[in-house]
Amino acid sequence: MWENIILGFATAATLTNLAYCFMGVFIGTLIGVLPGLGSLAAISMLLPVTFYLEPTTALIALGGIYYGAEYGGSIASILLNLPGTPSNAVTCLDGNPMAKQGKAGRALFTTAIASFTGGTLGVIALMGFGPAIAELGLKFGPGDYFALMVLGLVAAVTVGTGSAVRSMIMVVLGLLLGTVGTDVTSGDFRYTFDLLELRDGVSLVAIAMGLFGISEVANSIGGSGNRGAAQKVSLRSMLPDFAWVRQVAGPILRGSSIGGFLGALPGAGTVISAFLAYAVELRMAKDRSIFGKGAIQGLAAPEAANNAAAQTAFIPTLTIGIPGSATMSIMLGALMIHGISPGPMLVTDHPQMFWGLIASFWIGNLFLLLLNIPLIGLWVRVLQFPYKFIYPIVIALICIGVYSMKNSVFDVGIVLLFGGLGFFFQKVGYGPANLILGFVLGPMLEENLRRAMLLARGDATVLLTGQLSGPVLGISGLLLIWAAVSGMRSMIKQRRAVDLPAGEA
């Protein structure tokens, strides 16, 4: 193992590979800040450039773009409530309120540290547990994945700090939106209303940008947006103290563990990791009322999970040749373009490339840390720009980013539609984060359930008797019972509080 690690750092530390690693994370960060683009668009645009590079150098550059964009997306989420990538949508929940409270510098510093720590732990997991995690992922059947998705949806109900009924309504709405498009089993069109643009489903980027971006602009124009006062950020003011370390240490470690595990599972990815990390912190918090209002735990955990998952997502792609996301599919294509077949033999046939790529991840995360901490003061100055200039720029960036995904004007209309819905949801107290998670998990939930039923010839008991699916579904049921009991207790306390003055009178 140590010989492989030394070989990896010797490969990644060459001048050429260091230069392309730095360029990758720098370009990835810049593109991640732009709403609606993200790593998928960045890698797609720059993939042809890597055809003329050595395979190891090309993969190092593309990898840097990938996790650089995941970090860059958090900057716009915190400062402008615009998720640069879908996985950064949860960052808006507490990151943007911190910026409005004059804590933008601390929020960005926390994001940088959480991203670096999560990425580093993800690299360690990739080095030490890559083959084992990949083998575990191969043992997961469709029933097991279905149970995990159910657990994710049950946890989604706990993401919102308000009513559990409202959270459930938003989750169900997300599930319904996820059914729009082509049925993967029968090939039939569902809820497309004879619109060709809906045959591939509703764009996740369009929904996220509408619910978080356009609605934030609408709130600000209406006078309800609060960007906070002009903030002066110095490096000394951002230096961590003991209270800050005590607040974020646990969430970062838990988020890194969740992201490191889920990132290695095909189909899980950074979005689910970030939302589940947030849900876990919400459940473990002594005071849940601070979440959604600038809780630093709600910022640190999902950012650590997001970046840990971005690293371990390479495990199934490199070791078993199964991409866990669309972005990993492009990375897989880059390998094959350079004449390299991913799979278990990749480690033995191309050890220099495999371990060099892994070592470059840690170097790239260090570049991100050194690059972005000095720039925090510059990013915070975005809040000082007059909003009358930011309105049109933000809307233009959103529309350009969404249009560039499919070159579709229809998606721009979807953004505007969900921007109006997001504005309405905020006014009536419904959290859009639950809708996003329901939309992401819904199609995978349905697909794995139907596969499990086909393999079991319609016997639903197979879901309860599986080695993993049974216990996971049991945990989901206990969570629902516990949530129901907690809700009844709170209702009883509220009634007693209302009836007590009348009784005394």
Side-chain angles (χ1 to χ4, degrees):
M1 174 66 71
W2 287 110
E3 291 179 357
N4 290 328
I5 293 175
I6 294 173
L7 173 65
F9 277 100
T11 302
T14 63
L15 185 61
T16 301
N17 290 337
L18 285 175
Y20 277 97
C21 181
F22 180 82
M23 289 173 57
V25 298
F26 181 74
I27 295 173
T29 302
L30 289 181
I31 296 180
V33 172
L34 301 178
L37 292 181
S39 58
L40 180 60
I43 291 179
S44 300
M45 290 185 294
L46 298 176
L47 179 61
V49 179
T50 64
F51 293 166
Y52 307 98
L53 302 176
E54 292 293 327
T56 302
T57 305
L59 290 177
I60 287 174
L62 293 175
I65 293 171
Y66 175 52
Y67 51 82
E70 293 298 329
Y71 172 78
S74 64
I75 296 173
S77 300
I78 292 172
L79 298 182
L80 299 173
N81 203 32
L82 297 174
T85 63
S87 57
N88 293 126
V90 69
T91 307
C92 297
L93 300 180
D94 285 286
N96 188 249
M98 287 185 67
K100 293 177 179 178
Q101 297 166 10
K103 302 176 183 178
R106 178 52 62 93
L108 290 171
F109 182 81
T110 301
T111 298
I113 298 299
S115 300
F116 175 76
T117 306
T120 300
L121 294 179
V123 172
I124 294 174
L126 186 59
M127 287 180 172
F129 307 105
I133 295 178
E135 183 178 355
L136 178 63
L138 282 176
K139 294 180 180 179
F140 280 12
D144 301 324
Y145 276 111
F146 167 77
L148 288 173
M149 301 305 162
V150 171
L151 180 60
L153 291 175
V154 172
V157 177
T158 68
V159 171
T161 56
S163 169
V165 175
R166 293 182 177 181
S167 299
M168 182 64 71
I169 290 174
M170 297 301 288
V171 168
V172 172
L173 182 56
L175 291 173
L176 293 175
L177 289 171
T179 62
V180 176
T182 304
D183 188 331
V184 295
T185 303
S186 65
D188 294 332
F189 301 130
R190 302 185 300 186
Y191 311 113
T192 59
F193 303 101
D194 293 329
L195 295 173
L196 293 175
E197 294 84 357
L198 289 179
R199 291 187 177 183
D200 291 331
V202 186
S203 170
L204 171 61
V205 174
I207 293 178
M209 296 311 304
L211 289 177
F212 290 96
I214 299 294
S215 63
E216 175 68 17
V217 171
N219 270 320
S220 300
I221 292 176
S224 59
N226 176 26
R227 304 173 60 220
Q231 304 171 41
K232 294 183 179 180
V233 179
S234 62
L235 183 60
R236 179 177 297 180
S237 67
M238 294 185 299
L239 291 178
D241 51 21
F242 179 74
W244 178 85
V245 173
R246 186 176 58 184
Q247 285 181 314
V248 303
I252 288 177
L253 292 176
R254 287 188 290 268
S256 301
S257 302
I258 294 171
F261 177 74
L262 292 180
L265 302 180
T270 56
V271 179
I272 298 175
S273 301
F275 275 93
L276 285 184
Y278 189 89
V280 168
E281 292 306 313
L282 185 63
R283 274 299 183 192
M284 297 186 65
K286 296 180 179 179
D287 182 11
R288 300 180 193 170
S289 63
I290 63 175
F291 281 78
K293 302 176 183 178
I296 197 169
Q297 300 91 333
L299 176 65
E303 281 299 311
N306 179 21
N307 285 269
Q311 308 296 333
T312 56
F314 284 87
I315 292 177
T317 304
L318 296 176
T319 58
I320 58 181
I322 299 178
S325 64
T327 306
M328 287 295 102
S329 298
I330 298 178
M331 297 293 294
L332 191 66
L335 276 172
M336 300 178 72
I337 288 172
H338 286 282
I340 298 172
S341 300
M345 299 303 295
L346 176 66
V347 182
T348 55
D349 292 345
H350 305 278
Q352 187 174 8
M353 187 200 70
F354 179 80
W355 292 102
L357 178 63
I358 292 177
S360 74
F361 293 161
W362 189 86
I363 296 174
N365 277 281
L366 184 60
F367 279 156
L368 279 174
L369 188 67
L370 298 177
L371 179 67
N372 284 285
I373 286 183
L375 293 178
I376 287 178
L378 177 63
W379 295 124
V380 171
R381 291 182 183 178
V382 173
L383 296 177
Q384 301 176 19
F385 294 157
Y387 232 20
K388 63 181 180 180
F389 299 124
I390 290 184
Y391 290 145
I393 294 175
V394 167
I395 294 177
L397 287 175
I398 290 174
C399 294
I400 292 172
V402 172
Y403 178 81
S404 66
M405 296 295 294
K406 299 180 182 178
N407 295 330
S408 172
V409 179
F410 183 82
D411 285 348
V412 177
I414 293 294
V415 167
L416 299 177
L417 172 63
F418 278 93
L421 289 175
F423 179 77
F424 171 75
F425 289 149
Q426 291 186 22
K427 292 298 182 182
V428 296
Y430 284 74
N434 297 307
L435 186 150
I436 294 291
L437 189 57
F439 179 79
V440 171
L441 291 179
M444 292 187 288
L445 178 94
E446 179 191 10
E447 182 178 352
N448 285 287
L449 174 61
R450 295 174 74 172
R451 285 180 180 175
M453 290 297 96
L454 287 172
L455 292 174
R457 299 182 182 273
D459 183 11
T461 59
V462 70
L463 299 174
L464 300 176
T465 57
Q467 294 183 353
L468 178 67
S469 60
V472 171
L473 288 176
I475 293 173
S476 302
L478 291 176
L479 283 176
L480 286 174
I481 294 173
W482 184 68
V485 171
S486 299
M488 292 179 63
R489 286 180 177 177
S490 63
M491 289 177 61
I492 293 174
K493 289 181 180 179
Q494 290 177 359
R495 289 181 178 178
R496 288 178 176 176
V498 172
D499 294 340
L500 183 60
E504 291 177 347

